[in-house]
Amino acid sequence: MGRTDAGDGAGRARDMPPPRAPGLADLPRELFAGGSADQLAALLAQATGAPTATVALALDGVLQTCGSHGPDAELVPADLAARVLSTGEAVIVPHGPSAPAAYLGQPVHDQDGAVVGVCSAYDPGPRAWAAEAIRGCAAAALVATQLVTEQIARHLIDRQHRFLDAVLDSLHDGVVACDADGRFVLINQQMFRLWGNAPVPDNLDDPASVEGLLDELGQPMTRNDVILRRALHGETVRNERLVVQGRNRRTRHYLVDAQPIVGPDGGTQGAVAALQDVTRQRRAERFRSCELAVANALAEENTVEAAGRRVLEAVVSTLGWVHAELWLVDVPAGMARPAALWTAPYWQGGDIEVPPELAFGEGLSGRAWQVAKPLWLRDIGQPQSLIPLRTGGWSNLHAALAVPVQDGRDILGVLTVFADTVEDPEDELVALLAGIAAHIGQFLARRLVEDLQRQLNRSKDEYLALISHELRTPLTAISTYTELLRGADAQGLAADAPAMLEVIERNTAQLRRIIDELLELSALDTGHIAMSTGPVDIAAVVAEAVQEVRAQTEGTAVTVSADLPEALVLPGDPARLRQVVDNLLGNAVKYSPDGGQVSVRLIVNGGVAELTVSDTGIGVTEDERDRLFDRMYRSNRARNRAIPGTGLGLSVTRAIVQRHHGTIELADHEGPGTTVMVRLPMEAR
């Protein structure tokens, strides 16, 4: 035995003392009780002609009878046997006046010559021990010595086997050995675990010995490629990579050392191989490669759609799974929609149809969004509540993992992956996906900031120009008419002063409106305006606003229709929500100068209230749709028709909606006019 000791120099073996051979005291009494010891006692009785014979050994420091023959074994004199044990000499006591019984004892030795026992012959009747009887007792003692030596040797071999088995079974490496004919003669417990549920082959010629074995390039091995067979043919193998694909298609990676077992004559008596499982290390390497590919994709692409496909491809390739999805959440709408999908090119399980959207809490991705933590399904093919059983490709998918994509505490999306095998949860895999999801979250947050920055830079000059124009127009009118009043004579003042003052007053009110709306918008943006969050019947708020607009437009060419539920309660500020409805209805009427239809509709879609206000008025051009909610922006059609307005109404409306965690946008509209949609969450956030 030897071991490597770095203290004596790396790679240099230091000899260890051999293990102490067991003595008689190390052996259990059961090794000598009955069986061969009784047979030896019977032979001793026959050889000496005595009716009684015993074989006693010094076990645990006490002379104990291990084998006996005859009726009076308990009468054998213990003091005489002890004398044989202590002196190492034969004791011969014939029957006579000084000895009521005849006794003959011979010492038993161990492999080192030490006295370890006594062979005794006993006769309670008259007896004079003949030379033949004495020789028979001595021969029996020699046999007993051989018996002791044999039992000690067997015990030593058994102990060495147990020691070797314990060492091999404690290894993290699998060890397998075969004899010269290729028959497996040694397999440790780790090797049995590596085989798993697969049948253990009997020899290297068994087809099962190459089943699932691949080289490092992924090519199936032949029988001659098997590393243990190569070692049996005399080759020494070090750190060769081996890939094993189990019946469940899970792949394990190993480093293998193997060498022949050479006998004393120099011939090959067999071969041994040790397999070190490096699957975890290989997976760590692949995980690092995956993280690098994800980082490159997020750094090189400008859109989540383009980056998402590359990210999903890297994830699927790394995990060896088959399908991945990236969902982005629309919090006000309570919906998640797929931004990117990827299915492995080698997937042949059928088309995987992805729904266009998932509600908050719906499906695996929706539930991961809801609970804000990773969710693992071992087998979506088994009855469960998150993913309903589907046909096509879905019927061939099994394991699934969904991880929320977050930026701080805000959930921006969900990363979901699927495998075509049943997989138990793995913390390392969850950690990898969580790290990738965090990278995606940072990417989305960064893109949002960059988009806002671009919008700010683009609109800053336009905003200054617009606000300058909107303020300059009434100021110019006020200044002009003030100069006219100052230069008019008494007759001119009497005739024109009332009209001039009316113009000044109208433009002053316009300035006040612009300033008030700018201040209100600033306060909304900075959160300086407090909003209540109590329950509001938005249906009643809309109904009241519609009723007032109908009264205002009575007798005009504008008609107002409404499709409202009896009640629809959500959290919010009733006054501010009424302001939103008034602004939208006011714009719909104002921008329908030639008359038309104004339609109002309020419905519940998922967990969101959707309010749409449509008109058949002048509408907006396609290139102006994205700018309609910018501050001070007014469409060209409104300016050309000289329709009054500050360009702040929709900006204020959007700010109020956003303070309610909602969204506002221009919806698709057929024909002339415009449709504005407001989405407000039904639950408090």
Side-chain angles (χ1 to χ4, degrees):
M1 298 286 292
R3 66 181 178 89
T4 298
D5 193 317
D8 288 346
R12 187 173 61 196
R14 187 176 68 182
D15 291 335
M16 300 296 292
R20 181 180 63 85
L24 194 63
D26 299 317
L27 305 184
R29 185 177 186 278
E30 291 75 13
L31 288 178
F32 303 98
S36 58
D38 285 340
Q39 294 175 6
L40 180 59
L43 291 174
L44 174 59
Q46 182 180 1
T48 59
T52 302
T54 62
V55 177
L57 296 175
L59 301 174
D60 298 327
V62 179
L63 197 61
Q64 301 181 28
T65 300
C66 296
S68 64
H69 177 79
D72 300 316
E74 71 278 1
L75 298 178
V76 174
D79 57 336
L80 297 178
R83 187 191 307 172
V84 176
L85 183 66
S86 63
T87 63
E89 300 290 339
V91 174
I92 304 172
V93 180
H95 181 274
S98 61
Y103 173 83
L104 176 59
Q106 287 283 355
V108 176
H109 300 83
D110 64 9
Q111 71 272 20
D112 297 323
V115 179
V116 295
V118 179
C119 285
S120 301
Y122 174 75
D123 190 343
R127 162 80 61 174
W129 299 107
E132 183 179 356
I134 296 173
R135 286 194 300 271
C137 186
L142 289 176
V143 173
T145 295
Q146 293 175 353
L147 174 63
V148 169
T149 302
E150 179 183 341
Q151 293 291 13
I152 290 175
R154 287 181 178 177
H155 183 71
L156 176 59
I157 293 173
D158 181 69
R159 190 178 73 170
Q160 289 174 338
H161 284 173
R162 292 176 181 273
F163 182 82
L164 179 60
D165 288 344
V167 170
L168 291 176
D169 289 342
S170 67
L171 296 176
H172 293 293
D173 296 351
V175 178
V176 58
C178 68
D179 61 17
D181 296 323
R183 291 189 298 266
F184 294 118
V185 295
L186 184 148
I187 302 173
N188 72 341
Q189 290 298 320
Q190 180 64 15
M191 196 68 200
F192 278 114
R193 284 191 285 269
L194 296 182
W195 258 304
N197 296 327
V200 178
D202 295 324
N203 54 68
L204 288 174
D205 292 327
D206 190 329
S209 65
V210 296
E211 183 177 350
L213 300 186
L214 311 174
D215 61 22
E216 61 179 320
L217 299 178
Q219 298 300 314
M221 282 188 171
T222 66
R223 287 197 304 171
N224 291 330
D225 294 329
V226 174
I227 297 174
L228 188 60
R229 181 182 292 276
R230 288 158 50 194
L232 187 59
H233 291 164
E235 182 179 350
T236 297
V237 179
R238 291 290 180 264
N239 292 328
E240 183 160 323
R241 293 187 179 274
L242 173 68
V243 180
V244 179
Q245 189 172 70
R247 291 186 173 184
N248 60 358
R249 293 191 59 194
R250 297 192 65 180
T251 299
R252 310 293 297 182
H253 296 264
Y254 301 93
L255 284 181
V256 184
D257 289 344
Q259 65 185 47
I261 300 174
V262 181
D265 60 353
T268 300
Q269 296 185 339
V272 62
L275 286 74
Q276 179 186 4
D277 191 338
V278 294
T279 304
R280 189 181 294 269
Q281 295 92 314
R282 286 295 301 273
R283 173 173 287 185
E285 294 171 3
R286 292 174 64 86
F287 281 8
R288 286 192 292 270
S289 298
C290 178
E291 291 174 342
L292 179 60
V294 169
N296 289 337
L298 296 178
E300 295 169 1
E301 301 292 349
N302 294 321
T303 66
V304 67
E305 291 79 12
R309 284 180 58 83
R310 292 179 58 182
V311 168
L312 298 183
E313 180 182 4
V315 170
V316 168
S317 301
T318 298
L319 302 184
W321 290 24
V322 295
H323 179 68
E325 302 165 356
L326 176 60
W327 297 77
L328 297 184
V329 303
D330 182 348
V331 175
M335 291 290 177
R337 300 178 179 88
L341 307 171
W342 180 264
T343 302
Y346 51 80
W347 169 249
Q348 297 179 351
D351 294 336
I352 300 175
E353 298 182 1
V354 179
E357 60 184 18
L358 291 173
F360 182 68
E362 179 187 3
L364 179 61
S365 301
R367 182 65 62 84
W369 172 20
Q370 183 182 51
V371 301
K373 64 181 182 181
L375 293 179
W376 186 301
L377 291 184
R378 182 174 180 272
D379 187 2
I380 64 175
Q382 297 299 316
Q384 37 79 32
S385 59
L386 293 182
I387 299 180
L389 294 178
R390 300 187 178 105
T391 58
W394 287 100
S395 63
N396 295 314
L397 296 178
H398 294 284
L401 172 60
V403 179
V405 174
Q406 295 179 268
D407 176 41
R409 291 184 299 177
D410 296 330
I411 294 181
L412 307 178
V414 178
L415 175 62
T416 308
V417 292
F418 297 88
D420 59 348
T421 55
V422 177
E423 301 280 352
D424 293 319
E426 294 187 34
D427 292 340
E428 289 181 347
L429 198 152
V430 174
L432 170 71
L433 267 294
I436 292 174
H439 284 304
I440 298 174
Q442 295 171 1
F443 172 84
L444 294 174
R446 186 170 62 251
R447 286 293 177 267
L448 178 61
V449 170
E450 291 173 354
D451 289 344
L452 291 175
Q453 185 65 42
R454 282 194 295 270
Q455 293 177 17
L456 178 62
N457 292 336
R458 184 189 67 184
S459 62
K460 181 174 63 177
D461 293 339
E462 297 176 355
Y463 177 71
L464 291 175
L466 287 171
I467 195 170
S468 298
H469 176 270
E470 296 299 331
L471 291 174
R472 185 180 293 110
T473 299
L475 282 174
T476 300
I478 292 171
S479 176
T480 299
Y481 281 92
T482 300
E483 291 297 326
L484 290 174
L485 285 173
R486 182 180 289 112
D489 53 16
Q491 184 177 359
L493 286 174
D496 299 327
M500 292 182 181
L501 290 174
E502 183 179 350
V503 171
I504 293 173
E505 183 178 6
R506 184 172 65 250
N507 282 277
T508 301
Q510 175 73 355
L511 275 176
R512 185 179 296 111
R513 253 192 327 271
I514 292 174
I515 293 172
D516 288 344
E517 288 182 344
L518 284 172
L519 292 174
E520 182 180 35
L521 186 57
S522 176
L524 286 169
D525 287 344
T526 57
H528 291 161
I529 292 182
M531 289 194 181
S532 62
T533 56
V536 179
D537 185 355
I538 188 65
V541 171
V542 176
E544 291 175 2
V546 168
Q547 186 175 358
E548 290 189 12
V549 170
R550 282 174 175 165
Q552 295 169 5
T553 59
E554 187 175 357
T556 68
V558 175
T559 59
V560 181
S561 63
D563 179 11
L564 308 174
E566 292 186 3
L568 182 55
V569 179
L570 50 76
D573 187 314
R576 292 296 178 179
L577 291 176
R578 175 60 186 270
Q579 185 178 356
V580 168
V581 179
D582 286 342
N583 282 348
L584 297 180
L585 288 174
N587 281 349
V589 172
K590 181 168 59 175
Y591 294 114
S592 301
D594 301 327
Q597 177 71 35
V598 175
S599 303
V600 182
R601 186 168 181 253
L602 180 64
I603 63 171
V604 175
N605 186 0
V608 176
E610 289 187 352
L611 171 66
T612 55
V613 178
S614 303
D615 63 65
T616 57
I618 61 175
V620 294
T621 60
E622 187 66 28
D623 58 344
E624 292 180 309
R625 291 173 65 88
D626 293 337
R627 305 182 60 189
L628 203 60
F629 295 94
D630 292 348
R631 300 181 184 188
M632 307 296 294
Y633 184 80
R634 305 194 67 220
S635 68
N636 291 329
R637 293 176 181 177
R639 292 180 182 278
N640 292 338
R641 290 184 173 236
I643 298 176
T646 63
L648 292 170
L650 285 179
S651 298
V652 172
T653 300
R654 180 177 62 179
I656 295 173
V657 170
Q658 289 176 341
R659 287 290 300 274
H660 283 79
H661 305 286
T663 61
I664 182 171
E665 62 182 355
L666 291 185
D668 294 336
H669 184 93
E670 295 184 2
T674 305
T675 296
V676 180
M677 176 180 290
V678 174
R679 293 188 178 96
L680 297 171
M682 300 288 292
E683 302 292 338
R685 298 185 186 275

